Amino acid sequence: MDVLNVDYMLGLVPVLLRYLPLTLQLAGIGMVLALILACLFAVVRVLRIPVLNQLTIVFISFFRGTPLLVQLFLFYYGLPQLVSALTVIDGITATIMGLTMHFSAYMAESIRAAIVGVDRSQTEAALSIGMTNGQLMRRIVLPQATRVALPTLMNYFIDMIKATSLAFTLGVTELMGATQKEASGSFLYFEAFIVAAIMYWIVVELLSKLQHHLEIRLNKAYSR
Amino acid sequence: MIKLASLSKHFGKSVVLDGIDLTIEKGEIVVVIGPSGTGKSTLLRCINFLEQPTAGTMSVGDLTVDVNRASRADILAMRRRTAFVFQNYALFANKTALQNIAERLLVVDRWPKAKAYQRARDILERIGLADKADAYPASMSGGQQQRVGIGRAMAAGAEVILFDEPTSSLDPEWVEEVLGLMKQLAAERQTMMVVTHEMSFARDVADRVIFIDGGRIVEQGPPDEIFHHPQDPRTQDFLKKILASNTV
């Protein structure tokens, strides 16, 4: 085996860095949308809103029960075949849709568990002073559930950042797609992919630091 | 004024409240006593609609509802007229003492922030916890938490404050400070309905003591009469048991 071509690796860093923003955008937008969707699902499940509850259960079951790659192909290749208006869906949109639905299904369950975990007596106290269900959720339950759910949600976010690499199968040139192109030009596969791997790793490490700070802040109210 | 007429609550087949008729005058302090599991707490919870009563009518102030026809708006309106103090305090864990008290003024009554916090600070002053304004429940003693719980109930300007065994989960060292605050409220003629096992509080503070057993009001009257000349054998029996461990 040859020694690693370090010069090539160093030269690759600025090239690949140009594609990192797209990777982060895919994950960032996907996460925000997935969070919104997951909160809605969780509230529907907790309040057992008729019809919506059943639909949500099926949705969650499907998106948890099938591989993300299959879902991405369904959105990108499958939907346009059924509905011709959907041929406008490009790889980026399809990726964001896939990430959003796939991860919202997982996150809905952990948010639901966190909501159910909030002390029932606080719910009664909020109702006793005349709050509506919406006010109760927004002001009392969700803020406390956030604290409980945060570590799991951050894990999903980290997972989602890595999952954006699947976008290259839809022809999106994000970090993984760019690396693949560079590597097949130079044939230095190990060097190229180890640089990409380290980039993902650094991003995830930075996020873990952020998570640590957020946890300290959110725990402030609960320490003696 | 509060008026309950034929108020009933069934859980499945078991009848927890069996046609309660009760009128409480403005400024009256009513203490409800009775054996465990006889519907005392359920009675308070029904008045606040934390439990949906099975039948009957309730009036609080100018609002009268037939419990079977109560709309969501009726239920909210009834809750806004009746404040509740919980056995386990049930403070909002994500809010400071000040925010716990101001919460309902801000969210339910939609007061401007400055006014709501001013009122909350006044109440903290009255309950002797002005220095705890920014403390979270987790950092307060049980007694302090329950005083904030009472403060939260005071904020509303409710027609009546319902106390559901407010000292039962407290360590003995904190019981006095909570009872002290309740006595202070009673002296201000705040209408109160108190479920408690603190017989000395009932004797010293109540205008009327109500003995409930089997979901019915068995006997009621001024504390002197109930404690010293109970008429019904069930009342006599209950008092004999409870006074053995409680000096009146």
Side-chain angles (χ1 to χ4, degrees), chain B residues 154-189:
Chain B
M154 290 159 64
E159 300 266 348
V160 59
I161 301 184
L162 308 166
F163 293 81
D164 187 10
E165 303 202 23
T167 57
S168 296
S169 11
L170 287 171
D171 289 337
E173 56 184 316
W174 309 124
V175 170
E176 267 322 304
E177 68 182 59
V178 169
L179 290 180
L181 175 56
M182 291 168 65
K183 284 177 188 165
Q184 181 187 324
L185 281 180
E188 294 166 12
R189 301 320 291 175

PDB file of all heavy atoms in Angstrom, chain B residues 154-189:
ATOM      1  N   MET B 154     -54.249  33.199  44.745  1.00  0.00           N
ATOM      2  CA  MET B 154     -54.699  34.534  45.161  1.00  0.00           C
ATOM      3  C   MET B 154     -54.695  35.514  43.997  1.00  0.00           C
ATOM      4  O   MET B 154     -55.472  36.470  43.965  1.00  0.00           O
ATOM      5  CB  MET B 154     -53.771  35.081  46.265  1.00  0.00           C
ATOM      6  CG  MET B 154     -53.894  34.378  47.597  1.00  0.00           C
ATOM      7  SD  MET B 154     -52.402  34.622  48.624  1.00  0.00           S
ATOM      8  CE  MET B 154     -52.432  36.401  48.891  1.00  0.00           C
ATOM      9  N   ALA B 155     -53.776  35.298  43.039  1.00  0.00           N
ATOM     10  CA  ALA B 155     -53.588  36.264  41.952  1.00  0.00           C
ATOM     11  C   ALA B 155     -54.871  36.507  41.181  1.00  0.00           C
ATOM     12  O   ALA B 155     -55.141  37.601  40.706  1.00  0.00           O
ATOM     13  CB  ALA B 155     -52.509  35.756  40.992  1.00  0.00           C
ATOM     14  N   ALA B 156     -55.663  35.463  41.098  1.00  0.00           N
ATOM     15  CA  ALA B 156     -56.806  35.494  40.214  1.00  0.00           C
ATOM     16  C   ALA B 156     -57.910  36.435  40.673  1.00  0.00           C
ATOM     17  O   ALA B 156     -58.700  36.903  39.870  1.00  0.00           O
ATOM     18  CB  ALA B 156     -57.360  34.081  40.108  1.00  0.00           C
ATOM     19  N   GLY B 157     -57.990  36.717  41.957  1.00  0.00           N
ATOM     20  CA  GLY B 157     -59.149  37.424  42.457  1.00  0.00           C
ATOM     21  C   GLY B 157     -60.381  36.551  42.289  1.00  0.00           C
ATOM     22  O   GLY B 157     -61.471  37.005  41.965  1.00  0.00           O
ATOM     23  N   ALA B 158     -60.186  35.224  42.474  1.00  0.00           N
ATOM     24  CA  ALA B 158     -61.283  34.281  42.273  1.00  0.00           C
ATOM     25  C   ALA B 158     -62.347  34.443  43.356  1.00  0.00           C
ATOM     26  O   ALA B 158     -62.073  34.958  44.436  1.00  0.00           O
ATOM     27  CB  ALA B 158     -60.736  32.850  42.295  1.00  0.00           C
ATOM     28  N   GLU B 159     -63.554  33.989  43.037  1.00  0.00           N
ATOM     29  CA  GLU B 159     -64.644  34.047  44.000  1.00  0.00           C
ATOM     30  C   GLU B 159     -64.345  33.163  45.203  1.00  0.00           C
ATOM     31  O   GLU B 159     -64.755  33.452  46.321  1.00  0.00           O
ATOM     32  CB  GLU B 159     -65.941  33.546  43.344  1.00  0.00           C
ATOM     33  CG  GLU B 159     -66.384  34.345  42.150  1.00  0.00           C
ATOM     34  CD  GLU B 159     -67.367  35.429  42.532  1.00  0.00           C
ATOM     35  OE1 GLU B 159     -67.865  35.391  43.678  1.00  0.00           O
ATOM     36  OE2 GLU B 159     -67.618  36.314  41.694  1.00  0.00           O
ATOM     37  N   VAL B 160     -63.675  32.050  44.943  1.00  0.00           N
ATOM     38  CA  VAL B 160     -63.396  31.114  46.022  1.00  0.00           C
ATOM     39  C   VAL B 160     -62.052  30.439  45.745  1.00  0.00           C
ATOM     40  O   VAL B 160     -61.681  30.215  44.596  1.00  0.00           O
ATOM     41  CB  VAL B 160     -64.519  30.050  46.138  1.00  0.00           C
ATOM     42  CG1 VAL B 160     -64.670  29.265  44.844  1.00  0.00           C
ATOM     43  CG2 VAL B 160     -64.262  29.089  47.295  1.00  0.00           C
ATOM     44  N   ILE B 161     -61.313  30.167  46.817  1.00  0.00           N
ATOM     45  CA  ILE B 161     -60.102  29.360  46.668  1.00  0.00           C
ATOM     46  C   ILE B 161     -60.384  27.986  47.256  1.00  0.00           C
ATOM     47  O   ILE B 161     -60.860  27.862  48.387  1.00  0.00           O
ATOM     48  CB  ILE B 161     -58.887  30.008  47.371  1.00  0.00           C
ATOM     49  CG1 ILE B 161     -58.621  31.401  46.785  1.00  0.00           C
ATOM     50  CG2 ILE B 161     -57.647  29.119  47.202  1.00  0.00           C
ATOM     51  CD1 ILE B 161     -57.381  32.088  47.348  1.00  0.00           C
ATOM     52  N   LEU B 162     -60.129  26.966  46.449  1.00  0.00           N
ATOM     53  CA  LEU B 162     -60.370  25.586  46.855  1.00  0.00           C
ATOM     54  C   LEU B 162     -59.035  24.974  47.283  1.00  0.00           C
ATOM     55  O   LEU B 162     -58.102  24.917  46.485  1.00  0.00           O
ATOM     56  CB  LEU B 162     -60.956  24.798  45.681  1.00  0.00           C
ATOM     57  CG  LEU B 162     -62.182  25.435  45.011  1.00  0.00           C
ATOM     58  CD1 LEU B 162     -62.463  24.778  43.667  1.00  0.00           C
ATOM     59  CD2 LEU B 162     -63.391  25.335  45.929  1.00  0.00           C
ATOM     60  N   PHE B 163     -58.937  24.542  48.529  1.00  0.00           N
ATOM     61  CA  PHE B 163     -57.687  23.958  49.040  1.00  0.00           C
ATOM     62  C   PHE B 163     -57.874  22.447  49.168  1.00  0.00           C
ATOM     63  O   PHE B 163     -58.683  21.995  49.960  1.00  0.00           O
ATOM     64  CB  PHE B 163     -57.346  24.521  50.424  1.00  0.00           C
ATOM     65  CG  PHE B 163     -56.980  25.978  50.446  1.00  0.00           C
ATOM     66  CD1 PHE B 163     -57.972  26.961  50.445  1.00  0.00           C
ATOM     67  CD2 PHE B 163     -55.652  26.376  50.487  1.00  0.00           C
ATOM     68  CE1 PHE B 163     -57.636  28.311  50.483  1.00  0.00           C
ATOM     69  CE2 PHE B 163     -55.312  27.724  50.529  1.00  0.00           C
ATOM     70  CZ  PHE B 163     -56.300  28.692  50.514  1.00  0.00           C
ATOM     71  N   ASP B 164     -57.077  21.690  48.392  1.00  0.00           N
ATOM     72  CA  ASP B 164     -57.196  20.234  48.443  1.00  0.00           C
ATOM     73  C   ASP B 164     -56.052  19.654  49.273  1.00  0.00           C
ATOM     74  O   ASP B 164     -54.966  19.436  48.766  1.00  0.00           O
ATOM     75  CB  ASP B 164     -57.166  19.670  47.017  1.00  0.00           C
ATOM     76  CG  ASP B 164     -57.451  18.177  46.990  1.00  0.00           C
ATOM     77  OD1 ASP B 164     -57.845  17.628  48.035  1.00  0.00           O
ATOM     78  OD2 ASP B 164     -57.261  17.572  45.921  1.00  0.00           O
ATOM     79  N   GLU B 165     -56.296  19.430  50.543  1.00  0.00           N
ATOM     80  CA  GLU B 165     -55.289  18.911  51.483  1.00  0.00           C
ATOM     81  C   GLU B 165     -53.952  19.620  51.310  1.00  0.00           C
ATOM     82  O   GLU B 165     -52.923  18.997  51.010  1.00  0.00           O
ATOM     83  CB  GLU B 165     -55.113  17.399  51.284  1.00  0.00           C
ATOM     84  CG  GLU B 165     -56.418  16.663  51.450  1.00  0.00           C
ATOM     85  CD  GLU B 165     -56.198  15.190  51.800  1.00  0.00           C
ATOM     86  OE1 GLU B 165     -55.130  14.854  52.330  1.00  0.00           O
ATOM     87  OE2 GLU B 165     -57.126  14.408  51.552  1.00  0.00           O
ATOM     88  N   PRO B 166     -53.951  20.936  51.542  1.00  0.00           N
ATOM     89  CA  PRO B 166     -52.764  21.738  51.204  1.00  0.00           C
ATOM     90  C   PRO B 166     -51.536  21.428  52.048  1.00  0.00           C
ATOM     91  O   PRO B 166     -50.435  21.786  51.656  1.00  0.00           O
ATOM     92  CB  PRO B 166     -53.234  23.175  51.449  1.00  0.00           C
ATOM     93  CG  PRO B 166     -54.350  23.046  52.424  1.00  0.00           C
ATOM     94  CD  PRO B 166     -55.027  21.757  52.103  1.00  0.00           C
ATOM     95  N   THR B 167     -51.707  20.773  53.195  1.00  0.00           N
ATOM     96  CA  THR B 167     -50.524  20.511  54.030  1.00  0.00           C
ATOM     97  C   THR B 167     -50.178  19.026  54.114  1.00  0.00           C
ATOM     98  O   THR B 167     -49.242  18.647  54.792  1.00  0.00           O
ATOM     99  CB  THR B 167     -50.741  21.042  55.466  1.00  0.00           C
ATOM    100  OG1 THR B 167     -51.922  20.438  56.012  1.00  0.00           O
ATOM    101  CG2 THR B 167     -50.897  22.541  55.481  1.00  0.00           C
ATOM    102  N   SER B 168     -50.928  18.199  53.385  1.00  0.00           N
ATOM    103  CA  SER B 168     -50.751  16.752  53.549  1.00  0.00           C
ATOM    104  C   SER B 168     -49.412  16.220  53.057  1.00  0.00           C
ATOM    105  O   SER B 168     -48.931  15.219  53.543  1.00  0.00           O
ATOM    106  CB  SER B 168     -51.867  15.987  52.837  1.00  0.00           C
ATOM    107  OG  SER B 168     -53.081  16.288  53.440  1.00  0.00           O
ATOM    108  N   SER B 169     -48.832  16.873  52.023  1.00  0.00           N
ATOM    109  CA  SER B 169     -47.534  16.331  51.581  1.00  0.00           C
ATOM    110  C   SER B 169     -46.352  17.105  52.156  1.00  0.00           C
ATOM    111  O   SER B 169     -45.234  16.905  51.710  1.00  0.00           O
ATOM    112  CB  SER B 169     -47.417  16.265  50.050  1.00  0.00           C
ATOM    113  OG  SER B 169     -48.422  16.922  49.402  1.00  0.00           O
ATOM    114  N   LEU B 170     -46.634  17.985  53.116  1.00  0.00           N
ATOM    115  CA  LEU B 170     -45.539  18.791  53.661  1.00  0.00           C
ATOM    116  C   LEU B 170     -44.852  18.070  54.810  1.00  0.00           C
ATOM    117  O   LEU B 170     -45.493  17.378  55.601  1.00  0.00           O
ATOM    118  CB  LEU B 170     -46.079  20.119  54.191  1.00  0.00           C
ATOM    119  CG  LEU B 170     -46.517  21.146  53.158  1.00  0.00           C
ATOM    120  CD1 LEU B 170     -47.215  22.302  53.859  1.00  0.00           C
ATOM    121  CD2 LEU B 170     -45.322  21.657  52.380  1.00  0.00           C
ATOM    122  N   ASP B 171     -43.525  18.271  54.910  1.00  0.00           N
ATOM    123  CA  ASP B 171     -42.833  17.854  56.120  1.00  0.00           C
ATOM    124  C   ASP B 171     -43.426  18.655  57.279  1.00  0.00           C
ATOM    125  O   ASP B 171     -43.797  19.826  57.105  1.00  0.00           O
ATOM    126  CB  ASP B 171     -41.336  18.160  56.015  1.00  0.00           C
ATOM    127  CG  ASP B 171     -40.647  17.236  55.028  1.00  0.00           C
ATOM    128  OD1 ASP B 171     -41.189  16.142  54.784  1.00  0.00           O
ATOM    129  OD2 ASP B 171     -39.590  17.615  54.506  1.00  0.00           O
ATOM    130  N   PRO B 172     -43.487  18.053  58.471  1.00  0.00           N
ATOM    131  CA  PRO B 172     -44.128  18.733  59.600  1.00  0.00           C
ATOM    132  C   PRO B 172     -43.586  20.142  59.847  1.00  0.00           C
ATOM    133  O   PRO B 172     -44.341  21.045  60.206  1.00  0.00           O
ATOM    134  CB  PRO B 172     -43.795  17.819  60.779  1.00  0.00           C
ATOM    135  CG  PRO B 172     -43.568  16.477  60.181  1.00  0.00           C
ATOM    136  CD  PRO B 172     -43.033  16.702  58.802  1.00  0.00           C
ATOM    137  N   GLU B 173     -42.283  20.330  59.573  1.00  0.00           N
ATOM    138  CA  GLU B 173     -41.699  21.655  59.879  1.00  0.00           C
ATOM    139  C   GLU B 173     -42.278  22.776  59.014  1.00  0.00           C
ATOM    140  O   GLU B 173     -42.150  23.948  59.359  1.00  0.00           O
ATOM    141  CB  GLU B 173     -40.175  21.591  59.709  1.00  0.00           C
ATOM    142  CG  GLU B 173     -39.765  21.120  58.332  1.00  0.00           C
ATOM    143  CD  GLU B 173     -38.252  20.971  58.180  1.00  0.00           C
ATOM    144  OE1 GLU B 173     -37.521  21.865  58.640  1.00  0.00           O
ATOM    145  OE2 GLU B 173     -37.824  19.953  57.609  1.00  0.00           O
ATOM    146  N   TRP B 174     -42.895  22.437  57.873  1.00  0.00           N
ATOM    147  CA  TRP B 174     -43.412  23.499  56.994  1.00  0.00           C
ATOM    148  C   TRP B 174     -44.917  23.713  57.142  1.00  0.00           C
ATOM    149  O   TRP B 174     -45.476  24.632  56.561  1.00  0.00           O
ATOM    150  CB  TRP B 174     -43.130  23.178  55.522  1.00  0.00           C
ATOM    151  CG  TRP B 174     -41.709  22.812  55.211  1.00  0.00           C
ATOM    152  CD1 TRP B 174     -41.276  21.663  54.609  1.00  0.00           C
ATOM    153  CD2 TRP B 174     -40.533  23.579  55.474  1.00  0.00           C
ATOM    154  NE1 TRP B 174     -39.916  21.678  54.495  1.00  0.00           N
ATOM    155  CE2 TRP B 174     -39.433  22.832  55.015  1.00  0.00           C
ATOM    156  CE3 TRP B 174     -40.309  24.826  56.066  1.00  0.00           C
ATOM    157  CZ2 TRP B 174     -38.123  23.294  55.127  1.00  0.00           C
ATOM    158  CZ3 TRP B 174     -39.009  25.278  56.172  1.00  0.00           C
ATOM    159  CH2 TRP B 174     -37.942  24.524  55.710  1.00  0.00           C
ATOM    160  N   VAL B 175     -45.577  22.854  57.905  1.00  0.00           N
ATOM    161  CA  VAL B 175     -47.035  22.916  57.973  1.00  0.00           C
ATOM    162  C   VAL B 175     -47.513  24.251  58.553  1.00  0.00           C
ATOM    163  O   VAL B 175     -48.420  24.885  58.021  1.00  0.00           O
ATOM    164  CB  VAL B 175     -47.592  21.733  58.811  1.00  0.00           C
ATOM    165  CG1 VAL B 175     -49.073  21.928  59.088  1.00  0.00           C
ATOM    166  CG2 VAL B 175     -47.352  20.420  58.068  1.00  0.00           C
ATOM    167  N   GLU B 176     -46.837  24.697  59.608  1.00  0.00           N
ATOM    168  CA  GLU B 176     -47.292  25.905  60.302  1.00  0.00           C
ATOM    169  C   GLU B 176     -47.294  27.129  59.398  1.00  0.00           C
ATOM    170  O   GLU B 176     -48.208  27.940  59.429  1.00  0.00           O
ATOM    171  CB  GLU B 176     -46.439  26.174  61.548  1.00  0.00           C
ATOM    172  CG  GLU B 176     -46.998  25.570  62.821  1.00  0.00           C
ATOM    173  CD  GLU B 176     -48.537  25.647  62.927  1.00  0.00           C
ATOM    174  OE1 GLU B 176     -49.087  26.759  62.833  1.00  0.00           O
ATOM    175  OE2 GLU B 176     -49.158  24.573  63.057  1.00  0.00           O
ATOM    176  N   GLU B 177     -46.230  27.275  58.566  1.00  0.00           N
ATOM    177  CA  GLU B 177     -46.144  28.491  57.752  1.00  0.00           C
ATOM    178  C   GLU B 177     -47.250  28.514  56.695  1.00  0.00           C
ATOM    179  O   GLU B 177     -47.753  29.580  56.339  1.00  0.00           O
ATOM    180  CB  GLU B 177     -44.758  28.640  57.115  1.00  0.00           C
ATOM    181  CG  GLU B 177     -44.417  27.605  56.047  1.00  0.00           C
ATOM    182  CD  GLU B 177     -42.998  27.795  55.496  1.00  0.00           C
ATOM    183  OE1 GLU B 177     -42.051  27.737  56.292  1.00  0.00           O
ATOM    184  OE2 GLU B 177     -42.861  28.010  54.275  1.00  0.00           O
ATOM    185  N   VAL B 178     -47.643  27.333  56.226  1.00  0.00           N
ATOM    186  CA  VAL B 178     -48.721  27.287  55.232  1.00  0.00           C
ATOM    187  C   VAL B 178     -50.068  27.557  55.905  1.00  0.00           C
ATOM    188  O   VAL B 178     -50.871  28.345  55.418  1.00  0.00           O
ATOM    189  CB  VAL B 178     -48.719  25.933  54.488  1.00  0.00           C
ATOM    190  CG1 VAL B 178     -49.971  25.770  53.649  1.00  0.00           C
ATOM    191  CG2 VAL B 178     -47.476  25.825  53.607  1.00  0.00           C
ATOM    192  N   LEU B 179     -50.287  26.918  57.048  1.00  0.00           N
ATOM    193  CA  LEU B 179     -51.537  27.178  57.775  1.00  0.00           C
ATOM    194  C   LEU B 179     -51.621  28.649  58.180  1.00  0.00           C
ATOM    195  O   LEU B 179     -52.683  29.260  58.148  1.00  0.00           O
ATOM    196  CB  LEU B 179     -51.621  26.280  59.015  1.00  0.00           C
ATOM    197  CG  LEU B 179     -51.834  24.796  58.735  1.00  0.00           C
ATOM    198  CD1 LEU B 179     -51.899  24.014  60.047  1.00  0.00           C
ATOM    199  CD2 LEU B 179     -53.089  24.556  57.916  1.00  0.00           C
ATOM    200  N   GLY B 180     -50.456  29.212  58.535  1.00  0.00           N
ATOM    201  CA  GLY B 180     -50.418  30.620  58.925  1.00  0.00           C
ATOM    202  C   GLY B 180     -50.902  31.513  57.797  1.00  0.00           C
ATOM    203  O   GLY B 180     -51.705  32.435  58.011  1.00  0.00           O
ATOM    204  N   LEU B 181     -50.428  31.217  56.587  1.00  0.00           N
ATOM    205  CA  LEU B 181     -50.852  32.008  55.429  1.00  0.00           C
ATOM    206  C   LEU B 181     -52.353  31.835  55.186  1.00  0.00           C
ATOM    207  O   LEU B 181     -53.060  32.805  54.868  1.00  0.00           O
ATOM    208  CB  LEU B 181     -50.045  31.580  54.202  1.00  0.00           C
ATOM    209  CG  LEU B 181     -50.431  32.215  52.869  1.00  0.00           C
ATOM    210  CD1 LEU B 181     -50.372  33.737  52.948  1.00  0.00           C
ATOM    211  CD2 LEU B 181     -49.524  31.718  51.753  1.00  0.00           C
ATOM    212  N   MET B 182     -52.841  30.617  55.360  1.00  0.00           N
ATOM    213  CA  MET B 182     -54.271  30.375  55.150  1.00  0.00           C
ATOM    214  C   MET B 182     -55.101  31.133  56.189  1.00  0.00           C
ATOM    215  O   MET B 182     -56.179  31.659  55.884  1.00  0.00           O
ATOM    216  CB  MET B 182     -54.570  28.874  55.198  1.00  0.00           C
ATOM    217  CG  MET B 182     -53.991  28.128  53.992  1.00  0.00           C
ATOM    218  SD  MET B 182     -54.022  26.340  54.188  1.00  0.00           S
ATOM    219  CE  MET B 182     -55.791  26.036  54.226  1.00  0.00           C
ATOM    220  N   LYS B 183     -54.590  31.191  57.407  1.00  0.00           N
ATOM    221  CA  LYS B 183     -55.298  31.951  58.448  1.00  0.00           C
ATOM    222  C   LYS B 183     -55.344  33.429  58.097  1.00  0.00           C
ATOM    223  O   LYS B 183     -56.352  34.100  58.316  1.00  0.00           O
ATOM    224  CB  LYS B 183     -54.600  31.758  59.804  1.00  0.00           C
ATOM    225  CG  LYS B 183     -54.888  30.393  60.421  1.00  0.00           C
ATOM    226  CD  LYS B 183     -54.133  30.199  61.715  1.00  0.00           C
ATOM    227  CE  LYS B 183     -54.309  28.752  62.179  1.00  0.00           C
ATOM    228  NZ  LYS B 183     -53.344  28.372  63.228  1.00  0.00           N
ATOM    229  N   GLN B 184     -54.218  33.910  57.555  1.00  0.00           N
ATOM    230  CA  GLN B 184     -54.151  35.318  57.141  1.00  0.00           C
ATOM    231  C   GLN B 184     -55.212  35.597  56.074  1.00  0.00           C
ATOM    232  O   GLN B 184     -55.928  36.599  56.145  1.00  0.00           O
ATOM    233  CB  GLN B 184     -52.741  35.554  56.598  1.00  0.00           C
ATOM    234  CG  GLN B 184     -52.406  36.946  56.125  1.00  0.00           C
ATOM    235  CD  GLN B 184     -51.023  36.947  55.461  1.00  0.00           C
ATOM    236  OE1 GLN B 184     -50.096  36.236  55.883  1.00  0.00           O
ATOM    237  NE2 GLN B 184     -50.884  37.741  54.403  1.00  0.00           N
ATOM    238  N   LEU B 185     -55.351  34.682  55.107  1.00  0.00           N
ATOM    239  CA  LEU B 185     -56.367  34.846  54.064  1.00  0.00           C
ATOM    240  C   LEU B 185     -57.769  34.807  54.668  1.00  0.00           C
ATOM    241  O   LEU B 185     -58.652  35.578  54.278  1.00  0.00           O
ATOM    242  CB  LEU B 185     -56.244  33.734  53.021  1.00  0.00           C
ATOM    243  CG  LEU B 185     -55.158  33.886  51.973  1.00  0.00           C
ATOM    244  CD1 LEU B 185     -55.177  32.694  51.030  1.00  0.00           C
ATOM    245  CD2 LEU B 185     -55.371  35.170  51.181  1.00  0.00           C
ATOM    246  N   ALA B 186     -57.955  33.898  55.616  1.00  0.00           N
ATOM    247  CA  ALA B 186     -59.261  33.779  56.258  1.00  0.00           C
ATOM    248  C   ALA B 186     -59.611  35.069  56.987  1.00  0.00           C
ATOM    249  O   ALA B 186     -60.754  35.534  56.940  1.00  0.00           O
ATOM    250  CB  ALA B 186     -59.262  32.600  57.228  1.00  0.00           C
ATOM    251  N   ALA B 187     -58.600  35.663  57.616  1.00  0.00           N
ATOM    252  CA  ALA B 187     -58.831  36.915  58.356  1.00  0.00           C
ATOM    253  C   ALA B 187     -59.232  38.035  57.395  1.00  0.00           C
ATOM    254  O   ALA B 187     -59.941  38.965  57.772  1.00  0.00           O
ATOM    255  CB  ALA B 187     -57.575  37.298  59.135  1.00  0.00           C
ATOM    256  N   GLU B 188     -58.768  37.924  56.133  1.00  0.00           N
ATOM    257  CA  GLU B 188     -59.148  38.931  55.134  1.00  0.00           C
ATOM    258  C   GLU B 188     -60.491  38.592  54.503  1.00  0.00           C
ATOM    259  O   GLU B 188     -60.915  39.230  53.551  1.00  0.00           O
ATOM    260  CB  GLU B 188     -58.063  39.005  54.045  1.00  0.00           C
ATOM    261  CG  GLU B 188     -56.730  39.527  54.560  1.00  0.00           C
ATOM    262  CD  GLU B 188     -55.578  39.272  53.584  1.00  0.00           C
ATOM    263  OE1 GLU B 188     -55.851  38.896  52.431  1.00  0.00           O
ATOM    264  OE2 GLU B 188     -54.422  39.444  53.990  1.00  0.00           O
ATOM    265  N   ARG B 189     -61.139  37.568  55.003  1.00  0.00           N
ATOM    266  CA  ARG B 189     -62.449  37.095  54.530  1.00  0.00           C
ATOM    267  C   ARG B 189     -62.425  36.685  53.058  1.00  0.00           C
ATOM    268  O   ARG B 189     -63.366  36.982  52.292  1.00  0.00           O
ATOM    269  CB  ARG B 189     -63.557  38.142  54.767  1.00  0.00           C
ATOM    270  CG  ARG B 189     -63.763  38.567  56.197  1.00  0.00           C
ATOM    271  CD  ARG B 189     -63.676  37.460  57.209  1.00  0.00           C
ATOM    272  NE  ARG B 189     -64.771  36.482  57.160  1.00  0.00           N
ATOM    273  CZ  ARG B 189     -64.819  35.380  57.904  1.00  0.00           C
ATOM    274  NH1 ARG B 189     -63.843  35.112  58.751  1.00  0.00           N
ATOM    275  NH2 ARG B 189     -65.826  34.551  57.804  1.00  0.00           N
TER     276      ARG B 189
END
